[in-house]
Amino acid sequence: YQSSRFLVLYAPARGLARAARGELKKSFKHLPCDLTLNKKSIDIKVHFPKRKDGACVRTICSHINIMFTGVLQGYRYKMKSAYAHFPININIINDNTHVEEHNFLDEKYV
């Protein structure tokens, strides 16, 4: 638990993470669970769990950690291009915001 993390529980099964990079909302209402916020932890309670409902508790924990990582540090995506037979030409245009592919699957147009 860090002081820069901020989580608001605005319903029994919904969470909202806010930080400097923005906010993320996530709903867990498809599961019979309750989220409660303590001083240093988040409690997840599943009522009368079946096998799949009990297995989703760890998934909820992972989703909440990913939400915190996204609003605190952010993510960086990398893409690699590879070809097996036809050579692919890739251009990055519009101030590094768009990717343009040429000769994808031996096509002659953009």
Side-chain angles (χ1 to χ4, degrees), residues 33-46:
C33 67
D34 288 331
L35 303 176
T36 55
L37 182 65
N38 295 332
K39 290 183 179 181
K40 293 189 177 185
S41 66
I42 299 168
D43 290 338
I44 302 169
K45 294 180 182 178
V46 179

Side-chain angles (χ1 to χ4, degrees), residues 20-32:
R21 291 185 176 263
E23 68 179 33
L24 291 173
K25 294 179 183 178
K26 190 77 172 172
S27 174
F28 301 107
K29 67 180 186 177
H30 63 281
L31 296 171

Side-chain angles (χ1 to χ4, degrees), residues 50-62:
K50 295 180 182 169
R51 185 175 179 212
K52 289 186 178 181
D53 296 337
C56 288
V57 174
R58 181 65 184 169
T59 304
I60 293 171
C61 294
S62 298

Side-chain angles (χ1 to χ4, degrees), residues 71-89:
V71 296
L72 290 174
Q73 300 171 0
Y75 285 99
R76 182 177 187 157
Y77 296 100
K78 294 183 179 181
M79 182 175 73
K80 291 185 178 182
S81 171
Y83 63 90
H85 182 70
F86 298 114
I88 301 171
N89 297 323

